[in-house]
């Protein structure tokens, strides 16, 4: 078993132990830490909510979003025939205000949340399969490797989101939740590197600079306000 697999299993076990600890403490105490737990899918991947019902119409909570790079919903994103990979992790505060009494079987709610997150959008170009012009000669570069163009994966982002949601009580404790809203994301500047230790020939570097600039131009054309959609379930205990 690889080191990465062991680390992933260890982290998963630790998260489960923490969740179990929170829930057990809440059940034993007169005042529960969390009254509700939810999960589902969004454009940011998988989310988990830990919600505290403060009164009849207001709820507060913590949301964790995680999108692994090979997640099935984001595997086949193509821009100009290039596969774009996405990876995301965020944790933040969640607030919901219900428009009708909580006892209603069907309800609408306003939701506001803000993620402190890191993410990476990237795509690769195999430089060994490209043809370049050096003077009047068409050449290839078998030692140039793979070019990666990506957003900065180490940059920390704050992503606020405002949504309108609909909730349906399947049972008194089990709910279906759907929300649609708007979020603010600043993708920032792109970086690039190759998987080879050699400096690129000038005619290859010129093409690389063009590809990076074209990618940056595409990023700059996207609005910083993007739609957000969430579909999931929650359970009150």
């Amino acid at each position: 078993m690889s080191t990465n697999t062991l680390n992933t299993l260890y982290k998963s076990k630790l998260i489960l132990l923490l969740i179990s600890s929170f829930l057990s403490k809440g059940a034993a105490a007169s005042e529960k830490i969390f009254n509700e737990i939810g999960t589902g899918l969004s454009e940011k991947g998988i989310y988990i909510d830990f919600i505290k019902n403060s009164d009849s119409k207001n709820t507060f909570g913590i949301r964790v979003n995680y999108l692994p790079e090979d997640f099935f919903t984001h595997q086949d994103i193509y821009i100009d025939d290039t596969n774009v990979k996405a990876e995301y992790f965020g944790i933040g505060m969640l607030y919901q205000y219900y428009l009708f009494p909580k006892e209603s079987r069907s309800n609408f709610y306003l939701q506001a949340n803000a993620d402190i997150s890191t993410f990476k959008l990237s795509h690769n170009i195999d430089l060994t399969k490209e043809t370049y012009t050096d003077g009047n000669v068409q050449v290839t570069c078998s030692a140039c490797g793979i070019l990666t163009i990506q957003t900065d994966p180490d940059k920390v982002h704050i992503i606020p989101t405002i949504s309108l949601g609909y909730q349906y009580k399947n049972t008194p404790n089990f709910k279906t939740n759907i929300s649609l809203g708007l979020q603010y994301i600043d993708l920032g500047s792109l970086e690039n590197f190759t998987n080879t230790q050699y400096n690129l020939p000038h005619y290859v570097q010129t093409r690389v600079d063009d590809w990076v600039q074209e990618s940056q131009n595409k990023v700059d054309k996207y609005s910083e306000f993007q739609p957000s959609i969430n579909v999931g379930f929650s359970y009150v205990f």
Side-chain angles (χ1 to χ4, degrees), residues 4-135:
N4 288 338
T5 302
L6 289 174
N7 288 337
T8 301
L9 291 174
Y10 175 76
K11 291 177 182 177
S12 300
K13 183 178 179 180
L14 182 61
I15 291 171
L16 289 174
L17 287 174
L18 288 172
I19 293 173
S20 299
S21 175
F22 276 132
L23 296 182
S24 62
K25 287 180 181 178
S30 58
E31 184 70 19
K32 294 179 181 179
I33 298 176
F34 299 112
N35 305 89
E36 187 174 343
I37 186 169
T39 186
L41 295 176
S42 75
E43 76 288 341
K44 299 185 184 77
I46 305 167
Y47 72 82
I48 300 177
D49 291 339
F50 302 96
I51 298 172
K52 173 69 174 178
N53 296 311
S54 59
D55 59 37
S56 61
K57 288 192 174 184
N58 294 281
T59 63
F60 297 88
I62 297 173
R63 168 165 291 190
V64 179
N65 287 286
Y66 178 54
L67 174 66
E69 191 174 62
D70 57 352
F71 196 54
F72 70 94
T73 62
H74 291 66
Q75 281 184 335
D76 298 314
I77 303 175
Y78 288 89
I79 297 178
D80 293 342
D81 298 325
T82 301
N83 186 208
V84 178
K85 297 180 179 180
E87 187 176 1
Y88 184 96
F89 177 79
I91 184 169
M93 300 302 296
L94 176 72
Y95 169 73
Q96 295 173 336
Y97 176 78
Y98 287 84
L99 303 183
F100 304 116
K102 284 285 191 69
E103 295 76 20
S104 304
R105 187 161 191 179
S106 292
N107 212 333
F108 290 92
Y109 58 89
L110 300 175
Q111 178 173 295
N113 56 287
D115 271 7
I116 299 174
S117 63
T118 59
F119 62 80
K120 181 179 72 173
L121 299 174
S122 65
H123 70 93
N124 297 326
I125 299 174
D126 189 345
L127 299 179
T128 67
K129 296 181 178 179
E130 299 293 330
T131 302
Y132 310 93
T133 301
D134 184 17

